């Protein structure tokens, strides 16, 4: 497998002042696989999900480091405002898509707070893992070909 190396070793973007220092989370949200429904990568749905993620960022609800849709789940590396409850924020975002786009999510979500020692090289490895998901699943030949991603450090569609 070819490893995508198109991102910098050190990330040179500034995290907004309203983000709690060091609060970067790997979030994974999955569809309820028991229910028949559209894939998250259905073009109209995917665009709506990515637009809402950008809307949340514009409203200072979260800061996106990486946000990638797969057919039945999504991965995001997000930072949150100091005064926001992460679980309330994710719940509200999921509810919006349940109501507006008839998305049936799996209960809850996976989250992992990246420790300070997981930054730098470890963050690059985690970002590469997420970017390679569509390639590993056989959905596209190269990570940079995947259209359903917000990736300020790589490419964005």
């Amino acid at each position: 497998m070819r490893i995508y190396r198109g991102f910098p070793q050190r990330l040179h973007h500034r995290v907004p002042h309203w983000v709690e220092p060091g609060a970067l989370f790997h979030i994974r949200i999955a569809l309820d696989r028991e229910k028949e429904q559209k894939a998250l990568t259905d073009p109209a749905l995917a665009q709506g999900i990515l637009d809402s993620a950008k809307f949340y960022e514009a409203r200072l609800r979260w800061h996106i480091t990486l946000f990638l849709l797969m057919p039945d789940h999504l991965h995001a590396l997000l930072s949150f405002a100091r005064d926001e409850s992460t679980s309330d924020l994710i719940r509200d975002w999921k509810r919006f898509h349940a109501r507006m786009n008839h998305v049936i999510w799996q209960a809850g979500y996976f989250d992992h707070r990246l420790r300070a020692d997981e930054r730098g090289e470890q963050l690059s490895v985690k970002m590469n893992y997420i970017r390679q998901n569509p390639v590993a699943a056989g959905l596209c030949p190269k990570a940079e070909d995947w259209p359903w991603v917000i990736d300020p450090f790589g490419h964005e569609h």
Side-chain angles (χ1 to χ4, degrees):
M1 180 175 90
R2 194 170 79 75
I3 301 296
Y4 175 58
R5 300 194 190 282
F7 53 91
Q9 286 289 57
R10 292 207 193 307
L11 304 177
H12 298 293
H13 90 307
R14 289 168 30 104
V15 174
H17 67 88
W18 46 267
V19 168
E20 182 182 346
L24 183 62
F25 290 83
H26 177 200
I27 307 284
R28 190 178 70 236
I29 305 172
L31 290 178
D32 182 338
R33 291 176 179 93
E34 305 294 311
K35 307 285 194 258
E36 189 72 31
Q37 58 182 314
K38 281 184 185 175
L40 295 177
T41 52
D42 171 82
L45 178 57
Q47 195 58 60
I49 290 173
L50 295 177
D51 287 348
S52 72
K54 291 175 189 174
F55 178 82
Y56 264 50
E57 183 168 60
R59 297 286 176 179
L60 310 181
R61 306 294 303 280
W62 62 37
H63 176 70
I64 300 170
T65 297
L66 184 60
F67 197 102
L68 184 137
L69 301 178
M70 292 291 289
D72 63 351
H73 68 281
L74 66 85
H75 288 275
L77 290 174
L78 301 172
S79 304
F80 298 92
R82 298 167 206 263
D83 58 349
E84 285 277 7
S85 159
T86 303
S87 57
D88 289 351
L89 194 61
I90 300 287
R91 183 198 64 222
D92 291 349
W93 187 83
K94 285 173 63 178
R95 272 190 192 152
F96 169 80
H97 286 288
R99 200 172 54 248
M100 298 301 292
N101 296 310
H102 313 290
V103 176
I104 306 166
W105 301 104
Q106 198 174 61
Y109 61 94
F110 164 87
D111 70 309
H112 169 71
R113 184 180 184 135
L114 276 70
R115 301 180 312 270
D117 63 352
E118 293 181 276
R119 301 303 172 86
E121 191 65 29
Q122 285 296 322
L123 178 57
S124 292
V125 168
K126 188 160 295 278
M127 289 176 77
N128 194 49
Y129 163 77
I130 293 169
R131 288 182 180 121
Q132 288 297 325
N133 255 238
V135 177
L139 299 172
C140 64
K142 300 186 309 260
E144 54 268 30
D145 294 338
W146 189 244
W148 309 119
V149 62
I150 300 168
D151 188 352
F153 304 109
H155 62 294
E156 184 174 339
H157 294 273

